[in-house]
Amino acid sequence: MANSAEPSSSLSFTSSSHISNAVTSHNMSSSSGSETGPSLEIISLSKLSSNLEQLLVDSGCDYSDAEIIVEGIPVGVHRCILAARSRFFYDLFKREKSSSEKDGKPRYCMSDFLPYGKVGYEAFLIFLSYLYTGKLKASPLEVSTCVDTGCAHDACRPAIDFSVELMYASAIFQVPELVSLFQRRLTNFIGKALLEDVIPILVVAYHCKSSVLVNQCVDRVARSDLDSISLEKDLPYEVAESIKLLRLKSQPDDECNTVPVDPVHEKRVRRILKALDSDDVELVKLLLSESGITLDEAYALHYAAAYCDPKVVSEVLSLGLADVNRHNPRGYTVLHVAAMRKEPSIIVSLLTKGAHASERTSDGQSAVSICRRLTRPKDYHAKMEQGQETNKDRICIDVLEREMRRNPLAGDVSISSPTMADDLHMKLLYLENRVAFARLFFPSEAKLAMEIAHAETTSEFAGLSASKRSSGNLREVDLNETPIMQNQRLRSRMNALVKTVEMGRRYFPHCSQVLDKFMEDDLPDLFYLEKGTLDEQRIKRTRFMELKEDVQRAFTKDKAEFNRSGLSSSSSSSSLKDNLSHKARKL
C-alpha cells in the first residue's frame, strides 16, 4: 500500500488506519464478481474524499473540535479523523486532554509534538489534507521552489526542505505509507543535490530511522571533500563518526592520492576554532602567535562566517589578518559561506572589507546565486508591517545583486557639503540629521547600515530628534565627562555616522543624491514643518510632497539600474509613503 500515497492515486484512504486493519474479504469478493462493483467503489471513495476535504477548505463549515498551532497559525482539526488515520494522534487524544482551551476546543502546539526537526504550516496542511482525503496534493510552489529563475527546482534547497518537513510529519505522526513515499522522494534528491543540501536529508533519515536513506547519504558524503570539522558541526555524532570510519576504510585504495594529515597542525587549528566558538577573539590572537598558524591556514574566517556570532566575524575582520577572498579546499570564499548562512550583517561586513561578489565556486556559483537557490518565494516576497525590518532573505539577495551591478567607485565617494563647517559639532549635526532622514525614508536599510557601522552603539549627538524637545538645551551636560572624553566620544560617533552614510551611498546611490540635495537646499526650511505662517506651511507642504516624489523616482532609478530592487518595494517604500503623507496631512 506504500505506492498508494503517490500523487496520482486517490485510493489510499484506509491505508494508514490502525483501527481498521481488517478489510472484509466480503467486499473484495463481491466487487470482483461484478463489472460495476469496482467502478462504484471508486466513485464512492472519491465522493467521500471530496466531502471530507470540504471540512478543510470550506470556512463556512467549521466543525473542528480542536486546534493545532503551527508557526503561530491555528489550524482547526477533527480529532476523530486524526485518531482514525494516525496512531500518534489516536494515542494522544486517548491519554491526554489539552492544557488550555478556547471556545471549548482543545489547543495543541506543533512544536510540542516534534522531538526533532520542523513541520511548517504549508507542510502540515498538505499532510492534513492527505489524512482527510487520501490524496496527496502537489507541493505549493511558494514554499517548495527557490527564487532562482534558472533553477529547474528538482533539487534546490526549498524543494528538499519541504520534502524533509513532510518526512518528519509522516514519521512522527506515524503514517507509514507516506514515510515510504517521501523516503523515495528524498532518495531521488541525493544524486542531484549539492553536497550541502544532502545534509538535511541525512539528518532527517537519521532521526526517522530510515537506514536505507542514511546509508545512501553517508556514501555520498563520505566520497565528498567535506571536512571533518563541518561533519561534526552539522551532523549527529554517530553519523559523523560512521562517515569518518568509512573514509578510513577506503583510504588504502587511494593512498597515493591522499595528503597526509599532520595531527599537531590539526589540533592547533581546532583550538583556534574552539576559541571562535567561545567568542574569544583575544584568545584567537594568542593561539595564532603561539602556534604559528595563520587565520588563512586555519580557514578561521570561513568557519566564523558559517557558525559564529556576526560580532565575532566583525572582530576577526578588524584584525586585518585574513584574506576575505581566499578559497577554501572546496572552492568557497568566505562570502560564499556567508551567503549559505543568509546573515545580512556578515555579508555586508565582508563586502565592506573588499570581498568580491563576482567570485565563483568551482561549480560556477556566485554568492547571489547561492542565496537565490536557498530562498523560497514566500520568504522573498513576504510583506513587512510598517516599521518592521525587511526579511533577511530579501536583504541578502538585494545587497549582493547591487554589489554585482554597482559602479566599483560608487562606494568611494567622500562625504562633502558646501554648507558643512569645519567645526566638529556642525559636522555631527549634519550627519545626525542626514542619517535621521535616511531612517525616515528607508528604515530597514538604514538600520542595517547603522548596525554594520556600529552607529547604534555610540551615543547620539543632538540632531533631528532635538527638534522634538521642548527645552532649549540640545543635550544634557555630563559633569563627569572631561573635554578629552567628550571629544573622543563625539569623534567616535562621527566616524560611525560617516561609515553609515558611505554604506548608503554604496548601495543606494540615487537615493543618496536626493538626500544630499535635500540637506543642502531644504533642510533649514523644512526642519520645523509645523512652524511659520499658513502660507509658509503650505509652501513647506508642497516642497515636502515634491521631496517624496524625488525619493520615489530615485527608488525607480535604483531599481532600473540594478534590475530588481529587493528592499525598496516592501517595507521602505510603504514606510516612506506613510510617514511623509502623515506629516503632510498635519500641515
Side-chain angles (χ1 to χ4, degrees), residues 14 16 24 46 72 89 212 217 274 286 324 354 463 480:
T14 60
S16 63
T24 60
S46 179
F89 287 113
V212 175
C217 291
K274 284 184 178 179
L286 179 62
V324 293
N480 295 320

Side-chain angles (χ1 to χ4, degrees), residues 235-378:
L235 293 172
Y237 175 80
E238 295 86 347
V239 177
E241 290 302 309
S242 65
I243 292 173
K244 292 178 186 178
L245 182 61
L246 190 59
R247 285 177 172 177
L248 285 175
K249 290 181 178 179
S250 62
Q251 224 172 17
D253 298 332
D254 46 340
E255 188 174 356
C256 58
N257 298 324
T258 303
V259 178
V261 177
D262 182 355
V264 176
H265 181 274
E266 186 174 8
K267 184 176 181 179
R268 290 173 176 172
V269 168
R270 285 180 177 271
R271 284 179 177 173
I272 294 171
L273 301 185
K274 284 184 178 179
L276 287 173
D277 282 332
S278 302
D279 299 348
D280 195 340
V281 178
E282 289 300 319
L283 178 58
V284 171
K285 291 167 61 177
L286 179 62
L287 292 172
L288 290 173
S289 61
E290 289 182 348
S291 65
I293 297 174
T294 67
L295 285 174
D296 288 341
E297 289 173 337
Y299 298 103
L301 194 52
H302 289 79
Y303 182 89
Y307 302 113
C308 297
D309 187 277
K311 290 182 180 179
V312 174
V313 178
S314 180
E315 290 179 23
V316 174
L317 282 170
S318 66
L319 297 177
L321 301 176
D323 178 6
V324 293
N325 292 303
R326 178 176 172 81
H327 290 255
N328 67 10
R330 302 195 58 237
Y332 292 158
T333 66
V334 185
L335 189 60
H336 294 146
V337 175
M340 294 177 191
R341 181 171 171 178
K342 295 194 295 183
E343 177 55 55
S345 59
I346 295 178
I347 290 174
V348 177
S349 294
L350 291 170
L351 291 174
T352 57
K353 290 295 184 179
H356 300 156
S358 57
E359 287 283 340
R360 296 187 177 272
T361 63
S362 55
D363 58 354
Q365 292 189 88
S366 65
V368 69
S369 67
I370 290 173
C371 268
R372 290 194 196 111
R373 281 182 58 90
L374 291 172
T375 302
R376 308 181 303 176
K378 175 187 176 181

Side-chain angles (χ1 to χ4, degrees), residues 63 69 98 141 193 288 315 323 343 347 386 539 549:
Y63 303 111
I69 311 300
S98 171
L141 295 180
L288 290 173
E315 290 179 23
D323 178 6
E343 177 55 55
I347 290 174
Q386 182 181 347
I539 293 172
E549 295 174 357

Side-chain angles (χ1 to χ4, degrees), residues 202-263:
L202 179 49
V203 173
V204 70
Y206 169 80
H207 286 309
C208 296
K209 297 179 170 48
S210 175
S211 58
V212 175
L213 192 57
V214 166
N215 292 336
Q216 290 177 311
C217 291
V218 165
D219 181 66
R220 167 83 193 273
V221 176
R223 289 185 287 105
S224 74
D225 54 1
L226 191 65
D227 59 275
S228 298
I229 294 173
S230 297
L231 291 176
E232 295 165 5
K233 293 289 290 187
D234 298 331
L235 293 172
Y237 175 80
E238 295 86 347
V239 177
E241 290 302 309
S242 65
I243 292 173
K244 292 178 186 178
L245 182 61
L246 190 59
R247 285 177 172 177
L248 285 175
K249 290 181 178 179
S250 62
Q251 224 172 17
D253 298 332
D254 46 340
E255 188 174 356
C256 58
N257 298 324
T258 303
V259 178
V261 177
D262 182 355

